[in-house]
């Protein structure tokens, strides 16, 4: 990116469930906020786990549902965004009813429905936030395609546990390439993230080595995220790891990841 006053939008995605996309998005968002960045998190998953972790209550006048409604052309993105429980961190919440919009988005695909999120959010987010993170569902469906069409970068959390997961990873990378070549030339593949690494097991100890044996150094984050009791406890309490135990190894890893991302954005994207 050439303009210093323009933030970047990062879609967190993987077609495989259970790799920790929401945990990565929430904790990375808080880590970036602790680095004095103004961060927006968009919850694109109708299971609304990100929303429930970051916002108290649940009565929001406007959400992703209103932003994506086809007949809501006058909706303003800023009216759908709320301050989270944490300083410098904001949320565009979701509700379960948003899933019902998918048939309409599919029907209107030829009218650019997959670009609706881009038209209604992208400019505002890039002008008002240093970094926007989009948490996606574990599918490659309408909402994930909308997310990738809105984003500048795609981050893929990955847990190596089977051949199937590797195939899903390769498929996700191919989708990013396809969207860049067709609808969103701004989209680039940021990095793979080794997540939920259990170093007590053979596969846990080899996860980063395996990723680096398949992908180049520029495709994999140097930082990996360990799984431990503190992170599981934070998830159960619907807190970030920094609120629960800021001295834990997981908290330290997310701080390292945030700093690595900021370094990459500065050196590779001029941010």
């Amino acid at each position: 990116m050439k303009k210093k006053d323009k933030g970047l939008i990062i879609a967190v995605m993987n077609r495989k469930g259970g790799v920790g996309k929401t945990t990565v998005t929430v904790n990375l968002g808080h880590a970036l906020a602790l680095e004095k960045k103004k961060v927006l998190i968009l919850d694109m998953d109708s299971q609304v786990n990100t929303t429930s972790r970051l916002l108290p209550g649940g009565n929001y006048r406007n959400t992703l549902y209103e932003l994506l409604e086809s007949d809501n052309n006058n909706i303003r993105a800023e009216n759908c965004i709320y301050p989270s429980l944490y300083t410098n961190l904001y949320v565009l919440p979701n509700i379960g009813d948003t899933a019902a919009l998918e048939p309409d988005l599919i029907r209107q695909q030829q009218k650019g429905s997959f670009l609706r999120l881009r038209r209604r959010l992208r400019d505002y987010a890039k002008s008002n936030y240093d970094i926007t993170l989009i948490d996606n569902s574990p599918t490659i469906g309408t909402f994930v395609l909308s997310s990738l069409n809105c984003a500048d970068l795609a981050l893929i959390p990955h847990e190596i546990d089977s051949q199937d997961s590797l195939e899903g990873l390769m498929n996700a990378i191919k989708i990013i390439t396809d969207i860049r070549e067709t609808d969103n030339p701004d989209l680039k593949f940021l990095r793979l993230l080794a997540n939920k690494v259990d170093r007590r097991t053979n596969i846990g100890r080899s996860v980063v080595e395996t990723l680096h044996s398949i992908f180049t150094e520029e495709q994999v984050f140097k930082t990996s995220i360990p799984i431990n009791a503190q992170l599981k406890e934070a998830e159960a309490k619907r807190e970030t790891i920094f609120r629960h135990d800021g001295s834990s190894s997981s908290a330290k890893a997310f701080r390292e990841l945030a700093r690595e991302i900021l370094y990459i954005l500065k050196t590779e994207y001029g941010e």
Side-chain angles (χ1 to χ4, degrees):
M1 307 305 295
K2 295 183 179 180
K3 292 187 178 180
K4 294 290 184 180
D5 60 342
K6 289 290 187 181
L8 287 170
I9 301 175
I10 302 173
V12 181
M13 57 87 68
N14 191 318
R15 64 174 297 191
K16 185 177 185 295
V19 299
K21 290 181 294 299
T22 296
T23 296
V24 168
T25 304
V26 168
N27 290 294
L28 174 58
H30 195 184
L32 289 165
L34 291 171
E35 295 295 319
K36 309 301 182 184
K37 297 300 179 181
K38 188 178 180 183
V39 180
L40 171 64
I41 291 182
L42 165 57
D43 188 355
M44 283 290 284
D45 191 344
S46 58
Q47 294 186 28
V48 304
N49 290 323
T50 296
T51 298
S52 63
R53 289 191 194 184
L54 294 176
L55 292 179
N59 296 318
Y60 318 111
R61 180 177 178 83
N62 294 306
T63 67
L64 181 67
Y65 183 94
E66 284 74 24
L67 191 65
L68 289 182
E69 276 187 302
S70 61
D71 59 351
N72 222 350
N73 291 320
N74 295 323
I75 189 72
R76 297 173 65 86
E78 56 264 43
N79 294 332
C80 303
I81 294 170
Y82 305 83
S84 78
L85 297 170
Y86 309 103
T87 303
N88 294 329
L89 185 59
Y90 299 80
V91 182
L92 200 165
N94 201 351
I95 57 175
D97 291 346
T98 303
L101 295 176
E102 186 163 26
D104 178 61
L105 290 169
I106 294 172
R107 282 195 302 270
Q108 298 196 41
Q109 180 179 355
Q110 292 184 339
K111 297 180 181 180
S113 63
F114 289 178
L115 299 176
R116 191 177 297 163
L117 180 68
R118 181 184 179 95
R119 292 194 301 266
R120 296 180 180 180
L121 177 68
R122 182 176 166 85
D123 287 347
Y124 179 81
K126 289 174 70 67
S127 296
N128 290 276
Y129 298 91
D130 297 310
I131 296 176
T132 297
L133 299 175
I134 307 178
D135 183 28
N136 289 286
S137 61
T139 62
I140 304 298
T142 303
F143 296 107
V144 174
L145 295 177
S146 295
S147 169
L148 292 174
N149 274 299
C150 183
D152 298 296
L153 301 164
L155 183 160
I156 304 180
H158 185 65
E159 177 188 16
I160 291 182
D161 55 4
S162 69
Q163 183 62 32
D164 289 342
S165 67
L166 284 173
E167 291 174 357
L169 175 59
M170 299 303 295
N171 183 263
I173 294 173
K174 181 180 184 302
I175 288 168
I176 293 167
T177 302
D178 290 345
I179 289 179
R180 181 176 66 245
E181 293 176 351
T182 55
D183 297 320
N184 182 11
D186 298 310
L187 183 64
K188 296 179 179 62
F189 173 43
L190 179 55
R191 295 287 195 283
L192 299 170
L193 173 66
N195 189 41
K196 300 171 67 173
V197 177
D198 188 347
R199 300 188 184 280
R200 298 168 299 179
T201 65
N202 290 334
I203 195 166
R205 289 190 294 270
S206 66
V207 61
V208 177
E209 180 181 347
T210 302
L211 280 175
H212 280 284
S213 71
I214 299 173
F215 301 98
T216 67
E217 182 177 348
E218 291 76 20
Q219 292 178 310
V220 184
F221 286 110
K222 294 181 175 66
T223 307
S224 61
I225 306 298
I227 186 68
N228 53 32
Q230 292 88 347
L231 189 58
K232 292 180 179 179
E233 290 166 3
E235 292 176 2
K237 294 175 66 176
R238 311 198 78 77
E239 295 178 340
T240 70
I241 189 61
F242 302 101
R243 172 66 61 86
H244 179 69
D245 186 351
S247 64
S248 66
S249 60
S250 291
K252 292 176 182 177
F254 274 110
R255 289 295 292 262
E256 291 174 4
L257 177 63
R259 291 166 182 159
E260 182 178 356
I261 287 176
L262 292 176
Y263 177 79
I264 291 169
L265 297 185
K266 180 180 179 180
T267 56
E268 297 184 15
Y269 299 96
E271 284 294 318

